[in-house]
Amino acid sequence: PSLADAPQMKHTFVYPSALHHLGQACALVWKAKGYEILVGLDTDSAAIQKLAHTVVFPRAFRGYYKEINWLVDEAFEHGADLVTVGGDDQFPPEQGAQWVTDAYFSRWPSGDGVMQAAGDKQGSPINGLHNAARICGSPTFGQNWMKYAYHCGPFHDGYFSFFADEDLWNFAKLHNRLSLHFDITIDHAHWSFGRAVRQPYHEAAQ
């Protein structure tokens, strides 16, 4: 039997958030779609605690990829069967957590692959692919993916806030463990698309 046959699969959306109001708004919309939520914060928030499992970073922010690897470990340690990672400026698939979970395990029944939601058509296509389809900016994976992943976690932590998503796309493809799902859209309200106010921490992440 596959992992998808297990009852009450726990699909957790994992992200860091520097601003509480964005972290809370993000948790609300993902929770409404059936996801469990795990948020990494610089300081804790009672409002977000009502919606999510919150983790306060015990040190200065080390970059998105080091911190997301740490948060993913936390999610699996707290019982997640499946994890999707992203940011507080992303919106969940319309189909909801259960549909996405079924789609993942229909392709990767042992939970050992990476599925990238590729339906977001923002950005100029390169080689026929939009941003969401040519990098793993919002990947979904099971715990068994860690058998194939980098020694440090699902992302290579030698990067700060850019390029590890593209590295993961190539790494998973090289290991025949990448699937692109064009029916799943994780809408990204990124500042570079003019959909959010650029914050000082965006400058620091360059």
Side-chain angles (χ1 to χ4, degrees):
S2 73
L3 292 177
D5 295 325
Q8 297 181 336
M9 297 292 285
K10 184 176 180 180
H11 190 162
T12 302
F13 181 58
V14 175
Y15 63 99
S17 186
L19 299 176
H20 286 180
H21 70 283
L22 294 180
Q24 182 180 3
C26 182
L28 276 168
V29 295
W30 283 83
K31 191 175 182 66
K33 288 295 184 178
Y35 290 84
E36 298 290 324
I37 314 294
L38 189 147
V39 190
L41 301 167
D42 295 321
T43 59
D44 218 342
S45 162
I48 300 176
Q49 280 181 348
K50 295 177 181 178
L51 303 166
H53 174 202
T54 61
V55 179
V56 176
F57 296 119
R59 64 208 150 241
F61 189 72
R62 301 173 299 165
Y64 178 85
Y65 295 110
K66 279 188 172 71
E67 301 301 5
I68 206 70
N69 284 348
W70 182 64
L71 294 174
V72 167
D73 283 344
E74 288 284 316
F76 283 130
E77 286 178 8
H78 284 81
D81 299 292
L82 196 61
V83 165
T84 294
V85 305
D88 61 12
D89 57 354
Q90 291 177 303
F91 294 88
E94 285 298 320
Q95 298 97 327
Q98 186 59 58
W99 192 96
V100 176
T101 299
D102 291 345
Y104 175 87
F105 282 111
S106 70
R107 178 63 183 86
W108 304 108
S110 297
D112 57 359
V114 176
M115 183 178 77
Q116 171 61 30
D120 186 354
K121 291 182 171 54
Q122 294 183 100
S124 300
I126 296 176
N127 296 325
L129 295 175
H130 291 274
N131 293 4
R134 60 182 179 81
I135 63 173
C136 286
S138 48
T140 298
F141 45 82
Q143 191 163 15
N144 283 337
W145 162 245
M146 299 307 174
K147 296 176 182 178
Y148 296 91
Y150 311 93
H151 66 90
C152 51
F155 289 98
H156 193 297
D157 67 3
Y159 303 93
F160 190 79
S161 291
F162 294 98
F163 307 119
D165 44 15
E166 185 173 357
D167 195 304
L168 174 59
W169 192 101
N170 287 297
F171 184 84
K173 185 176 178 61
L174 181 66
H175 286 80
N176 296 314
R177 287 290 181 276
L178 175 68
S179 60
L180 303 179
H181 208 306
F182 290 90
D183 290 335
I184 301 175
T185 297
I186 295 178
D187 183 32
H188 196 176
H190 198 268
W191 60 264
S192 66
F193 299 133
R195 298 182 59 193
V197 176
R198 191 170 188 176
Q199 301 292 337
Y201 59 81
H202 293 142
E203 299 288 345
Q206 297 294 328

